């Protein structure tokens, strides 16, 4: 009996140490929480702070990956509203200071005086796997926050994004709607259980590209109604860089996007030719789609230049 109790005590002690280690070292047990939304699909729950794998993540009162903000800006501030998906958001793998919006603000802060402002704010309204229709719905709900510039950052896959849905919230392990009881429980659910199959999320039929272009046009219209400049930027997938380049269907839709931006007179920044000039483009990515800090820096520099060239 004493031996059994001793073994049990060792096991309990080990589990307690493991629980504490998972929480303190990796941030397990405190994931970002999502909330379902009928129009937007889902949002990061407002007012969250956490660390995941050592990276600080802050979500403000408007579900942005930004510090707390006011609805209206001060007259001396240049405010930029960045809309996007996980590339703009940075996810758990990116420290708050290294997300694209923070880099844009840092790169512009010493130069905004040249265009008549004292400071710059870059708000980051984004969430994993959002597409243009999610971003439009967010803009319709919350407005532009008095931003003089609205930037929509998409990637090639976003041309084919499906309609907003809340189906993943609370069902997909990447979109939890509550905190797990233990860090160990999160690790078990995330890495040891099979991933749920949510085929209905990708089941939208018809011309998705046409619907997403229509959403981009509406985002442009909202920006115009509020006297904001509108900039559309698109990053490529890693496999699109170099030879053989984008696949035939992607080339077709890329040209369709280019023709659309020209007909709508949208300021459009295509990062494919920019990334193609990089000596080691693979260093711009952390995987096949998401950018590394070097990639974020390149994207933020190019967007900053475009903004500074605008007339206010």
């Amino acid at each position: 009996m004493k031996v059994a109790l001793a073994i049990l005590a060792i096991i309990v002690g080990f589990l307690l140490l493991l629980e504490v280690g998972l929480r303190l070292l990796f941030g397990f047990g405190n994931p970002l929480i999502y909330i379902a939304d009928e129009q937007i699909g889902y949002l990061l729950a407002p007012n969250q702070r956490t660390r995941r794998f050592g990276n600080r993540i802050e979500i403000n009162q408007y579900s942005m990956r930004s510090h707390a903000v006011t609805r209206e800006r001060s007259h001396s501030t240049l405010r930029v509203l960045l809309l996007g998906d996980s590339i703009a958001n940075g996810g758990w793998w990116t420290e708050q200071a290294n997300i694209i919006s923070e880099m844009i603000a840092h790169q512009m802060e010493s130069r905004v005086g040249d265009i008549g402002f004292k400071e710059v704010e870059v708000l980051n309204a984004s969430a994993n796997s959002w597409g243009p229709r999610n971003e439009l719905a967010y803009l319709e709900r919350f407005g532009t926050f008095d931003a003089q510039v609205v930037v929509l950052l998409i990637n090639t896959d976003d041309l084919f994004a499906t309609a907003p849905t809340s189906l993943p919230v609370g069902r997909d392990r990447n979109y939890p709607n509550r905190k797990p009881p233990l860090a160990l429980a999160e690790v078990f659910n995330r890495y040891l259980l099979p991933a749920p199959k949510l085929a209905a999320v990708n089941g939208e039929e018809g011309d998705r590209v046409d619907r997403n272009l229509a959403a981009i046009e509406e985002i442009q219209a909202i920006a115009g109604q509020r006297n904001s400049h509108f900039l559309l930027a698109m990053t490529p997938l890693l496999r699109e860089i170099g030879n053989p380049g984008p696949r035939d269907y992607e080339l077709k839709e890329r040209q369709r996007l280019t023709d659309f931006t020209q007909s709508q007179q949208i300021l459009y920044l295509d990062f494919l030719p920019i990334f193609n000039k990089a000596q080691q483009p693979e260093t711009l990515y952390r995987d096949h789609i998401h950018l590394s800090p070097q990639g974020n820096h390149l994207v933020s520099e190019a967007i900053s230049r475009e903004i500074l060239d605008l007339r206010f």
Side-chain angles (χ1 to χ4, degrees), residues 142-156:
F142 294 103
T144 63
F145 293 87
D146 205 21
Q148 298 100 320
V149 185
V150 174
V151 179
L152 175 60
L153 178 62
I154 64 174
N155 67 81
T156 307

Side-chain angles (χ1 to χ4, degrees), residues 216-227:
I216 294 172
E217 184 177 357
E218 290 189 56
I219 292 173
Q220 178 196 22
I222 292 174
Q225 290 163 7
R226 289 160 174 78
N227 298 315

